[in-house]
Amino acid sequence: MGTPPEITVSGFGLFSAQPARIDVRRSSGPTGIRFVHPLTAGVVPASIAHQRPSDGPLGGRNTVIGDGLFSVATVEHLLSALAGLGIWHADVVTDAGELPILDGSAAGFVAALRAARFSSQPPSEIRLTHPVRVEDAVTGAWIEARPANRLRYRYELLYPPGVGIPEQSFEWNGDPDRYATEIAPARTFSLEREALAMKAAGLFPHLTPRDMLVIAPDGRAIDNSLHFPDEPARHKLLDLIGDLALLGGPLIAEVTAHKSSHALTHDLCRRIAAIQP
């Protein structure tokens, strides 16, 4: 563990509000993406087999991986940055229980990785022989992955009228440059009513709308401004890319996600992992 880190990123956790630092190091072989505890040398692969339920009153709004030794929360933005840039073998060294949220996007991770000219061995691609679909009958959300010769991920965002976010979608074809400029800067967001309810419950005392994107019913970003007119859909796609990275390699498929959540993407990953040879 004495090797100098390739990159270091520091900040605080979104849910924990605790200081968080990570060192991301090039892997010595085709190990996949792994989270490594610096004191115990415990290793947790970034795989769907190690996905764990989220704790707390906002369970389900992030992705957690762990085993019996330690767990790491809110890994989806870093995993998205790595997968978006085509980096599939790396060690993420941290003793923090949650990764730094930065500005709510993956742009800080992407900038650090690109500045270090970070790369890895080519990954093993994941391909399907038949469509795989998961859905939530209560919310009407669904995700479907269909066999294809190229990667195409699409997120369709649809809220009921009156919340300030119109129907919007965004898609990605696997190009790292497009990921870095068009998806990585998209920030996590909350509706104003959600933010007020969370504040009333005593959550996120360390944050204001200047720090994290809050959307008013008239579509305004409160005390902030949108990076893109369709930034919410782009961020949902960012999350989708990060959660699909739990498969351990790029899923070469046509993936369409409609109103879906982290939990539904985890379900899709489990279905796909179960049918892989």
Side-chain angles (χ1 to χ4, degrees), residues 112-154:
L113 290 164
R114 286 197 144 186
R117 300 179 183 273
F118 210 100
S119 62
S120 72
Q121 299 182 35
S124 298
E125 295 178 344
I126 299 163
R127 294 181 180 268
L128 303 176
T129 58
H130 60 273
V132 181
R133 181 184 175 99
V134 293
E135 54 190 53
D136 184 330
V138 175
T139 64
W142 53 267
I143 311 178
E144 184 171 72
R146 302 184 65 85
N149 292 321
R150 62 185 180 93
L151 180 155
R152 184 184 74 88
Y153 299 165
R154 174 182 175 86

Side-chain angles (χ1 to χ4, degrees), residues 14-195:
L14 173 61
F15 296 93
S16 67
Q18 296 300 307
R21 165 183 161 148
I22 61 169
D23 296 334
V24 185
R25 300 171 178 168
R26 287 181 174 86
S27 173
S28 59
T31 58
I33 301 169
R34 307 183 301 179
F35 287 81
V36 181
H37 195 283
L39 299 179
T40 66
V43 176
V44 178
S47 71
I48 190 60
H50 289 85
Q51 183 264 322
R52 297 293 182 262
S54 301
D55 294 327
L58 296 178
R61 296 195 64 152
N62 63 344
T63 294
V64 179
I65 62 168
D67 60 12
L69 296 176
F70 76 105
S71 64
V72 186
T74 319
V75 299
E76 62 270 20
H77 297 174
L78 175 61
L79 291 182
S80 184
L82 292 167
L85 297 180
I87 300 166
W88 290 95
H89 304 289
D91 285 344
V92 182
V93 182
T94 184
D95 61 0
E98 184 179 18
L99 296 195
I101 191 62
L102 305 180
D103 69 345
S105 79
F109 297 125
V110 166
L113 290 164
R114 286 197 144 186
R117 300 179 183 273
F118 210 100
S119 62
S120 72
Q121 299 182 35
S124 298
E125 295 178 344
I126 299 163
R127 294 181 180 268
L128 303 176
T129 58
H130 60 273
V132 181
R133 181 184 175 99
V134 293
E135 54 190 53
D136 184 330
V138 175
T139 64
W142 53 267
I143 311 178
E144 184 171 72
R146 302 184 65 85
N149 292 321
R150 62 185 180 93
L151 180 155
R152 184 184 74 88
Y153 299 165
R154 174 182 175 86
Y155 192 95
E156 300 173 348
L157 185 64
L158 179 62
Y159 277 111
V163 301
I165 300 178
E167 181 177 352
Q168 54 189 251
S169 64
F170 203 74
E171 64 182 57
W172 179 58
N173 64 357
D175 178 66
D177 291 328
R178 278 200 63 221
Y179 176 86
T181 58
E182 299 179 15
I183 298 172
R187 296 160 294 171
T188 191
F189 63 94
S190 293
L191 305 179
E192 183 178 27
R193 67 188 186 195
E194 295 174 327

Side-chain angles (χ1 to χ4, degrees), residues 149-250:
N149 292 321
R150 62 185 180 93
L151 180 155
R152 184 184 74 88
Y153 299 165
R154 174 182 175 86
Y155 192 95
E156 300 173 348
L157 185 64
L158 179 62
Y159 277 111
V163 301
I165 300 178
E167 181 177 352
Q168 54 189 251
S169 64
F170 203 74
E171 64 182 57
W172 179 58
N173 64 357
D175 178 66
D177 291 328
R178 278 200 63 221
Y179 176 86
T181 58
E182 299 179 15
I183 298 172
R187 296 160 294 171
T188 191
F189 63 94
S190 293
L191 305 179
E192 183 178 27
R193 67 188 186 195
E194 295 174 327
L196 291 173
M198 289 185 285
K199 284 289 187 181
L203 301 172
F204 305 125
H206 58 301
L207 297 175
T208 73
R210 292 187 183 89
D211 305 306
M212 290 291 135
L213 200 56
V214 178
I215 308 297
D218 62 3
R220 289 181 302 111
I222 299 173
D223 292 336
N224 214 316
S225 58
L226 293 171
H227 289 167
F228 312 97
D230 54 358
E231 186 169 2
R234 295 186 192 220
H235 184 79
K236 290 289 191 178
L237 180 60
L238 184 158
D239 281 345
L240 177 71
I241 294 166
D243 286 338
L244 289 176
L246 294 175
L247 289 168

